[in-house]
Amino acid sequence: MLNKQQAKSLALLVNNPETWEPLVEHLKNLKALEVQALVGATSEQEMYRSQGKLRLVVHLEQLRDEVIEAINRQES
């Protein structure tokens, strides 16, 4: 979970369409490639690696939402 300071630092990246849009497009391409690798995996190890890479890409795709949530979160 991001803290407010981290979120504010990342806000410049995720709120700027010139940086965020190309990153999202790149992540979509990586996701498609990794799905192909997962489908073609011939061993459990390859499958697990592809699953881990997919999870990381999905997490990065959700970064903008996490940053917004962290910035808007009330401090306890």
Side-chain angles (χ1 to χ4, degrees), residues 47-61:
M47 182 184 69
Y48 294 143
R49 282 185 182 152
S50 289
Q51 288 174 335
K53 290 176 185 178
L54 277 170
R55 180 65 196 119
L56 179 59
V57 169
V58 168
H59 188 70
L60 288 171
E61 287 177 333

Side-chain angles (χ1 to χ4, degrees), residues 10-28:
L10 291 169
L12 294 172
L13 171 70
V14 300
N15 290 328
N16 182 346
E18 290 181 14
T19 57
W20 184 247
E21 301 291 330
L23 179 59
V24 168
E25 190 62 34
H26 179 64
L27 292 172
K28 286 180 184 178

Side-chain angles (χ1 to χ4, degrees), residues 57-71:
V57 169
V58 168
H59 188 70
L60 288 171
E61 287 177 333
Q62 296 169 347
L63 182 61
R64 178 185 238 165
D65 295 333
E66 289 182 33
V67 167
I68 292 168
E69 187 272 328
I71 289 172

